[in-house]
Amino acid sequence: MTTQAMVPSFNDSQLPDVYDAVESEVRSYCRGWPVEMAGASASWLTDTSGRRYLDFFAGAGALNYGHNNPLLKRPLLDYLSRDMIVHSLDLATEAKTAFLETFQRLILAPRGMDYKVQFPGPTGTNAVEAALKLARKVTGRESIINFTNAFHGMTLGSLSVTGNSMKRAGAGIPLVHATPMPYDNYFDGVTEDFHWFERVLDDSGGGLNRPAAVIVETVQGEGGLNVARAEWLRALAELCNRREILLIVDDVQMGCGRTGRFFSFEEAGIKPDIVTLSKSISGYGLPLALTLFRRDLDVWAPGEHNGTFRGNNPAFVTATAALEAYWQDTTFADQTLAKGGLMRDRLDAIATSNPKISARGRGMAQGLKFEDAPTAAKVCRAAFERGVLMETSGPADEVVKLLPPLTTPDAEIVLGIDILAESVASTLS
Amino acid sequence: MTTQAMVPSFNDSQLPDVYDAVESEVRSYCRGWPVEMAGASASWLTDTSGRRYLDFFAGAGALNYGHNNPLLKRPLLDYLSRDMIVHSLDLATEAKTAFLETFQRLILAPRGMDYKVQFPGPTGTNAVEAALKLARKVTGRESIINFTNAFHGMTLGSLSVTGNSMKRAGAGIPLVHATPMPYDNYFDGVTEDFHWFERVLDDSGGGLNRPAAVIVETVQGEGGLNVARAEWLRALAELCNRREILLIVDDVQMGCGRTGRFFSFEEAGIKPDIVTLSKSISGYGLPLALTLFRRDLDVWAPGEHNGTFRGNNPAFVTATAALEAYWQDTTFADQTLAKGGLMRDRLDAIATSNPKISARGRGMAQGLKFEDAPTAAKVCRAAFERGVLMETSGPADEVVKLLPPLTTPDAEIVLGIDILAESVASTLS
Amino acid sequence: MTTQAMVPSFNDSQLPDVYDAVESEVRSYCRGWPVEMAGASASWLTDTSGRRYLDFFAGAGALNYGHNNPLLKRPLLDYLSRDMIVHSLDLATEAKTAFLETFQRLILAPRGMDYKVQFPGPTGTNAVEAALKLARKVTGRESIINFTNAFHGMTLGSLSVTGNSMKRAGAGIPLVHATPMPYDNYFDGVTEDFHWFERVLDDSGGGLNRPAAVIVETVQGEGGLNVARAEWLRALAELCNRREILLIVDDVQMGCGRTGRFFSFEEAGIKPDIVTLSKSISGYGLPLALTLFRRDLDVWAPGEHNGTFRGNNPAFVTATAALEAYWQDTTFADQTLAKGGLMRDRLDAIATSNPKISARGRGMAQGLKFEDAPTAAKVCRAAFERGVLMETSGPADEVVKLLPPLTTPDAEIVLGIDILAESVASTLS
Amino acid sequence: MTTQAMVPSFNDSQLPDVYDAVESEVRSYCRGWPVEMAGASASWLTDTSGRRYLDFFAGAGALNYGHNNPLLKRPLLDYLSRDMIVHSLDLATEAKTAFLETFQRLILAPRGMDYKVQFPGPTGTNAVEAALKLARKVTGRESIINFTNAFHGMTLGSLSVTGNSMKRAGAGIPLVHATPMPYDNYFDGVTEDFHWFERVLDDSGGGLNRPAAVIVETVQGEGGLNVARAEWLRALAELCNRREILLIVDDVQMGCGRTGRFFSFEEAGIKPDIVTLSKSISGYGLPLALTLFRRDLDVWAPGEHNGTFRGNNPAFVTATAALEAYWQDTTFADQTLAKGGLMRDRLDAIATSNPKISARGRGMAQGLKFEDAPTAAKVCRAAFERGVLMETSGPADEVVKLLPPLTTPDAEIVLGIDILAESVASTLS
């Protein structure tokens, strides 16, 4: 959610004074939802006044298994209680061993992915930075292709491949080495999308620096819930393969089951060269990130990329528990697809009532796009007043984005979307 | 510790196979200390075979209060048990409110620091990236001055101000917008160190792009325990002030009491424009980072810099507990200075026995520099075999660096340094 | 002409040994035409063996009025004989005054162009560098939009907006701050060309750094005689105007009457913000270049851009003579269009005989494109053996480019193209 | 001469109106010397009012053999009269052959310089750009070391290694890939100058990108007549050799005999890897430039760097004539040293009379430095009013720079310096 949408909001802020007095103006979510949160459980938050909120935001996708999921909480408390090692840089630890073995056994092996795993630091932007560095090191090229309305992070490397102009301006230096290409459906189907990209790559006089890699999200969450079709992703993967350009899928937000299967690109049947994971990989909201890549790309020298919090063992513990609990088979993925279908049906129902609203999304990343952009923020505000958290996204904050925990019961999904429908109605009336 | 020093080490690796099979070659510490860690308490680690290690490494400075410190563990377990909110982006939460109020009350206010606090993402490199972005935004300039042998992080912005050539090469693009200047004592006292910097700034034909900021560590931990004198820091602060260049102190490793007082720059009596904190700020090894800056520099737009794990509430809880436990008065700082003195005395004793060894450091960041660089790695290996963890640092890995938890009892400090002395003796014999 | 096409040519080089012994391998034209030239007159060159060559190359467009044109030669010899000042930096001189007044009277005023004139150094690339610097200074933006297969020069700024990948690689650093867009007809009419450019400019999440300027050639000579349609140029000019992006027309090769009127963009009815001129502006092959811009863009500080050979007075003298001789009215432009028509008719005749050949060009910049690219170089070689100089262009050297002096008599045009036809026939037989 | 010094000058401008009306504000020399020049001969200029000026400026060093030197004029007129080829790109021509053979015979061979010659375009900045490109291509590195107060040209590559902050700002983009180091005597002899450079190169943690090349002027003309000592140049050459960094001497202004011998670095006994020449190489003020380099560095691909005016045959003709006339033996060099000695004696005499003035320079590049910088511009103005042209240089325009033609008779040297003495006296009185 950018701030344009959220700033002019609640006058009756219930925030303690210390936020205004001490925290930087950069703070953002607490402006749109100006209450002090206390407890959280499954799909519900409780503020310090006792008011409850249905969470259709899920930590921007970091809480796919809900708040304080007991299946993860138990081993976490156990681990911490027993004075097991918490912080370990990249030492071997029991918790890390268990995570690596489980990730290999439940995620990589069944999918035939012969990948190496890097712990690049515990945030999505660390994972993206490591991916870009590796792609450049492997290819000896500097340039990266990104897509319109991409979001990859706030550190300099990640920011250079991010689209949002307000955030780019924050760099304070010209962001170079990245060239945007149109994302799927950017031209509303009129233009074949790879026409330009492939033609200019072909052309020795095209003036495009030959790219090391393409970085892509399968669904652009921050960019407005833009969904790439499976055939577009396949065509992109094939193009990259033909040109010996590495394909990086940034699955930080859409991975870990958000769109159904564990990786959001599985449905398309592609195997990216490099994959980034973060947000819900720990499952409990604890910082953790992975950069995965084809075994033959593992040209890192020992210690060439490092970071203090790579060994966040509580996160390994909850991550392992989450994999064991949800990814032994396809039950959870199937359930997500079903819940996503439920969401979409309900959203379509809202959209069909109004030609200026359309539903969009994939899996349990769903939303409504408003032709009149400011409406979206008003709808979110109305929903918040009714006790549901959902944020806007898209270049003009024109999309109401719904990212409920994947574990949200159907009844609560229906409840939330009913409240959304009310909020839309009250806003437009 | 760079890897040159550590790779040719233990043949008898006790690491589970999954590390070699699945984790990227970039892994590093587990090569020098090839055992699987399990438990940890205060200054001790235990591996899965039951062997114990005295920790003179402390998570590279992230564990100033020791492993699983009970003063922090209790509120952490309590918080988690009660299903309080864990992940909150930058929403207001009880835990965050408590941290902000405590940090303001115990750290900022008593030191007369009218600073704003930004949560830039939970790692040191996030904090440095935010600092550089803000400095550029405030000044409208791009260039940054860094110092020889600086270490600031692995994402592109931070890497561009880091000295290590191996790590810089990992960027895969030319790192620009930063110009190194000689750190204090770089020329062994022969040359007045700011001569060149100030002269070239003065000179309209000097060819140096006018810098937005200078970024400096008061003690360069990774750079080889190089200590800047208080007068050098003051001269640097005055120079920056005269030229309207912002001064960023990167206190990620040396802050939080490592050198005595909470901030490592307090002793010099300077007030930097921007300060970065991470590593030991959560106190428990949980990811957390802060970027602090003068109130008038808070020109961030809401949401202009963001990140998923800015609201790591368990870290707020332990951070608050750590502040309450250790920073109510100067007792802890005084104790650290005393322990640091003890360390230095013992190290000086080792050094005086051998003209090719010298002691160096400040507070409880102390070490031995070996004229014959490869000796340092051999000494660390010998110490590990004797059950003490310490790593090398410096451009040639020529320094054995000691960063024990600040809470380490005197007897254990003596024990560790006795083992170090033995390790030196056995290595040189 | 790139060198791939020309290197494997004549075995019987008649070049003096000193070229191989002393001149750098970078030399190029003397490889394809390995004879030593001596005299030159109008459209003819004579080598030291007395062999004559009909010049359909004209110094790559620098000799629009032919070699040693007597109308220019007379005042030049007179000027030099009378010991008038030759080199004057940017002092005022009689010769410069005369040029400025004449350029103002015959070129700017009649076209209603209220432009300032800068002498940026005597070559095309100096003019382009000045244009880019000015555009960035005026707008405060760094980014430039260039077009596929553009050619603007070999110094770093100009090279960054040039398309040819071999020449770009010569920079030795990543060329940044420029983004290529598709030139007119890049997609063979299938796609509306500004769709992508305009859409991504519109989109606050598009990820395209907002450009200072667009730089464009109306006909891409080096790029393969690609001709932009007048309506495309108008649409581009309107787009730039709407977005407050400066429009730079690089008229170095296509200006000075090559396409008919003095400026190649006149036909389209646009008024660029900045125009570069060089090559034929002196008229006699003497180095001279101009950067022209709207009066209100003249934000240069005195001396902010300079150069030793800005005051090449012999070039001012011949430039003034050329303007007086050819640009008092539209006779010359009309004649060029007629001759261009003659060329095109004859080329079309060649093309109609072979489906793998097509004619292309505008005014007296005309050529043949060969579907089988290597044929073009073979045709040029065959033409050279028959005494006609013409070079290849285009990303694959697939176009035989004809740039005869504009003063070439019709009979010689016919002669040259007849020889071309023979060369094509013999090559394809 | 920068413009600060010159702008607030003559009210009684005798410039034709067209300059103010049509020429860009970037014009500079015509502001300080606001008269319209007409004729020129040897060391004298004549304006259109018939007033004569003794030229102690010599086209900023482009007229070492004086204006319209008859020894060069005769073959030039002959060449032009006979309709020999004027413009030839990089075709072989009789005039180019003669130049190459003569340059090889009289300049390279006698000095044992096994160099290749590149014609990179006809201006100094073209030669510098080619040198930087080649150094980067050969080494595969991006970074260049330049020196404080260097001047190398106005196109982007050259500008990035130029010191002047006003000119750098004209780029409109951050100038990167270059790091300034202190020029000889930058610290007034207090500091050993290579201490910092060599130390930081040595240090794997120094943070300096390993440079492809060092670019240096032996005497910084624009930078204020700073003279590098022979031993400093030798030490620099040795340092570059030890580190496998290429040494580029930019001899554009100080070459062609300005300091005595043909190359300004001969006295120091060094052999740079790459040398740039321009300004006086044609001898007649006609645009010409060379980039010279060790034979083994000639890794250019044919056509990888090109330019329209590389084959400026009139310049080849005068250049050959100049070499034949002045460089058959050491007579001319010896005479220049003698005249330089005469200049220096006279300047020393002025300086000894006033402690705030000092003489500086080498060969016939001599000047006076004024402790009170604004005095220098006033002195130049006073000299102009008395009929002598001399300009200021240095970062604060604090130096009156004397660059008379090398052919200036002793009596005119004395006359000019007597007028300078008067101008100093009248300015200070």
Side-chain angles (χ1 to χ4, degrees), chain D residues 77-385:
Chain D
L77 286 176
D78 178 64
Y79 189 86
L80 293 170
S81 302
R82 290 191 298 122
D83 279 347
M84 300 298 280
I85 190 166
V86 165
H87 177 283
S88 63
L89 284 135
D90 68 357
L91 282 174
T93 68
E94 275 190 331
K96 182 171 171 179
T97 304
F99 172 73
L100 278 170
E101 287 176 351
T102 307
F103 191 75
Q104 165 68 8
R105 177 169 48 86
L106 294 182
I107 303 300
L108 296 180
R111 287 161 182 81
M113 294 168 78
D114 188 22
Y115 283 34
K116 299 295 278 296
V117 175
Q118 178 181 6
F119 299 94
T123 72
T125 196
N126 292 124
V128 170
E129 294 266 349
L132 299 176
K133 286 164 76 172
L134 186 66
R136 284 162 167 155
K137 185 174 158 87
V138 165
T139 61
R141 305 174 211 140
E142 295 91 6
S143 180
I144 306 287
I145 297 294
N146 60 338
F147 289 98
T148 49
N149 289 297
F151 182 92
H152 299 291
M154 290 294 104
T155 51
L156 265 192
S158 305
L159 192 53
S160 71
V161 290
T162 289
N164 185 286
S165 59
M166 184 268 271
K167 295 198 192 296
R168 288 175 72 84
I173 55 172
L175 294 173
V176 297
H177 301 303
T179 306
M181 288 287 157
Y183 194 69
D184 190 20
N185 227 7
Y186 195 63
F187 304 114
D188 304 311
V190 175
T191 306
E192 195 211 321
D193 300 289
F194 292 122
H195 204 83
W196 162 235
F197 184 21
E198 192 141 26
R199 179 83 167 76
V200 75
L201 277 175
D202 257 346
D203 186 349
S204 72
L208 185 76
N209 295 336
R210 194 170 167 224
V214 166
I215 185 164
V216 69
E217 302 154 280
T218 60
V219 179
Q220 296 181 320
E222 300 306 305
L225 285 175
N226 308 311
V227 178
R229 292 163 298 154
E231 56 266 34
W232 186 86
L233 290 170
R234 275 192 295 273
L236 178 63
E238 281 155 23
L239 185 160
C240 287
N241 188 51
R242 274 198 307 281
R243 310 282 172 185
E244 300 186 337
I245 298 167
L246 297 177
L247 177 63
I248 304 170
V249 172
D250 182 346
D251 231 12
V252 163
Q253 189 170 59
M254 292 301 150
C256 302
R258 173 55 59 186
T259 65
R261 304 200 200 164
F262 187 80
F263 294 110
S264 72
F265 52 79
E266 290 182 57
E267 191 179 48
I270 63 172
K271 289 219 178 127
D273 300 296
I274 305 180
V275 178
T276 58
L277 284 178
S278 183
K279 292 202 187 265
S280 279
I281 184 65
S282 84
Y284 208 74
L286 302 174
L288 186 63
L290 312 182
T291 305
L292 314 175
F293 33 83
R294 277 177 18 219
R295 181 171 297 275
D296 61 299
L297 301 179
D298 189 12
V299 300
W300 285 117
E304 193 172 3
H305 180 99
N306 61 14
T308 295
F309 292 114
R310 286 167 295 159
N312 189 12
N313 286 273
F316 292 144
V317 169
T318 55
T320 304
L323 294 178
E324 296 280 7
Y326 295 101
W327 297 102
Q328 303 268 4
D329 56 34
T330 65
T331 312
F332 187 63
D334 294 342
Q335 174 192 303
T336 296
L337 291 174
K339 286 182 194 293
L342 171 63
M343 290 174 72
R344 184 55 169 271
D345 289 346
R346 296 280 168 147
L347 293 172
D348 278 336
I350 300 173
T352 50
S353 71
N354 190 322
K356 296 188 164 179
I357 308 178
S358 56
R360 47 176 35 217
R362 202 182 128 213
M364 287 182 72
Q366 296 287 346
L368 289 179
K369 180 175 178 181
F370 291 82
E371 213 166 283
D372 176 57
T375 303
K378 290 178 198 151
V379 166
C380 286
R381 214 170 303 137
F384 173 65
E385 286 163 6

Side-chain angles (χ1 to χ4, degrees), chain C residues 158-227:
Chain C
S158 305
L159 191 53
S160 71
V161 290
T162 289
N164 186 286
S165 59
M166 185 267 273
K167 294 196 194 298
R168 288 175 72 83
I173 55 172
L175 294 173
V176 297
H177 300 305
T179 305
M181 287 287 159
Y183 194 70
D184 190 20
N185 226 8
Y186 195 64
F187 304 114
D188 305 313
V190 175
T191 307
E192 194 209 323
D193 300 290
F194 293 123
H195 203 83
W196 162 234
F197 184 22
E198 192 141 27
R199 179 83 167 75
V200 74
L201 277 176
D202 256 346
D203 186 349
S204 73
L208 186 77
N209 295 335
R210 193 170 168 223
V214 167
I215 185 164
V216 69
E217 300 154 279
T218 60
V219 179
Q220 297 181 320
E222 300 305 307
L225 286 175
N226 308 310
V227 177

Side-chain angles (χ1 to χ4, degrees), chain C residues 100-101 104 108 113-117 293 295 298, chain D residues 15-25 27:
Chain C
L100 279 170
E101 288 176 350
Q104 165 68 11
L108 297 179
M113 293 168 77
D114 188 21
Y115 282 35
K116 299 294 279 297
V117 175
F293 33 84
R295 180 172 298 275
D298 189 13
Chain D
L15 295 186
D17 291 344
V18 74
Y19 290 88
D20 191 47
V22 176
E23 194 179 5
S24 163
E25 294 300 323
R27 68 192 184 279

Side-chain angles (χ1 to χ4, degrees), chain C residues 26-84:
Chain C
V26 82
R27 68 193 184 277
S28 142
Y29 285 105
C30 61
R31 296 172 188 268
W33 300 330
V35 292
E36 188 187 26
M37 296 298 181
S41 185
S43 298
W44 294 88
L45 287 155
T46 311
D47 72 18
T48 42
S49 74
R51 199 175 173 224
R52 297 180 73 223
Y53 303 87
L54 181 57
D55 188 359
F56 269 38
F57 167 60
L63 293 161
N64 281 0
Y65 312 110
H67 293 268
N68 295 320
N69 186 315
L71 299 176
L72 284 56
K73 178 182 174 183
R74 216 167 305 128
L76 173 63
L77 285 177
D78 177 63
Y79 189 84
L80 293 171
S81 302
R82 291 192 296 120
D83 280 345
M84 301 297 281

Side-chain angles (χ1 to χ4, degrees), chain A residues 143-161:
Chain A
S143 180
I144 307 287
I145 296 295
N146 60 338
F147 288 98
T148 49
N149 289 298
F151 182 91
H152 299 291
M154 289 295 105
T155 51
L156 265 191
S158 304
L159 191 53
S160 71
V161 290

Side-chain angles (χ1 to χ4, degrees), chain C residues 316-333:
Chain C
F316 292 145
V317 169
T318 55
T320 304
L323 295 177
E324 296 281 6
Y326 295 101
W327 298 101
Q328 302 268 5
D329 56 35
T330 64
T331 312
F332 187 63

Side-chain angles (χ1 to χ4, degrees), chain A residues 128-205:
Chain A
V128 170
E129 294 265 350
L132 298 178
K133 286 164 75 171
L134 186 67
R136 286 164 166 153
K137 185 174 159 86
V138 165
T139 61
R141 305 173 212 143
E142 296 90 6
S143 180
I144 307 287
I145 296 295
N146 60 338
F147 288 98
T148 49
N149 289 298
F151 182 91
H152 299 291
M154 289 295 105
T155 51
L156 265 191
S158 304
L159 191 53
S160 71
V161 290
T162 289
N164 185 286
S165 59
M166 185 267 270
K167 295 197 193 298
R168 289 175 71 83
I173 55 172
L175 295 173
V176 296
H177 301 303
T179 305
M181 287 286 157
Y183 194 69
D184 191 20
N185 226 7
Y186 195 64
F187 303 113
D188 304 312
V190 175
T191 305
E192 193 210 323
D193 299 291
F194 292 124
H195 204 82
W196 161 233
F197 184 20
E198 191 142 26
R199 179 82 168 79
V200 74
L201 277 175
D202 256 346
D203 186 350
S204 72

Side-chain angles (χ1 to χ4, degrees), chain A residues 3 19 21-22 24-26 28-29 36-38 73 83 85 90 92 97 117 129 156 167 279 298 302-303 308, chain B residues 3 19 22 24-26 28-29 36-38 73 83 85 90 92 97 117 129 156 167 279 295 298 302-303 308:
Chain A
T3 315
Y19 290 88
V22 175
S24 163
E25 294 299 323
V26 81
S28 140
Y29 284 105
E36 187 184 27
M37 297 299 180
K73 177 182 175 183
D83 280 346
I85 190 166
D90 68 358
T97 304
V117 176
E129 294 265 350
L156 265 191
K167 295 197 193 298
K279 291 202 188 268
D298 189 11
T308 296
Chain B
T3 315
Y19 290 88
V22 176
S24 164
E25 294 300 322
V26 81
S28 139
Y29 284 106
E36 189 185 27
M37 296 299 181
K73 178 181 174 183
D83 280 346
I85 190 166
D90 68 356
T97 305
V117 175
E129 294 265 350
L156 265 191
K167 295 196 193 297
K279 291 201 186 266
R295 180 172 297 276
D298 190 12
T308 296

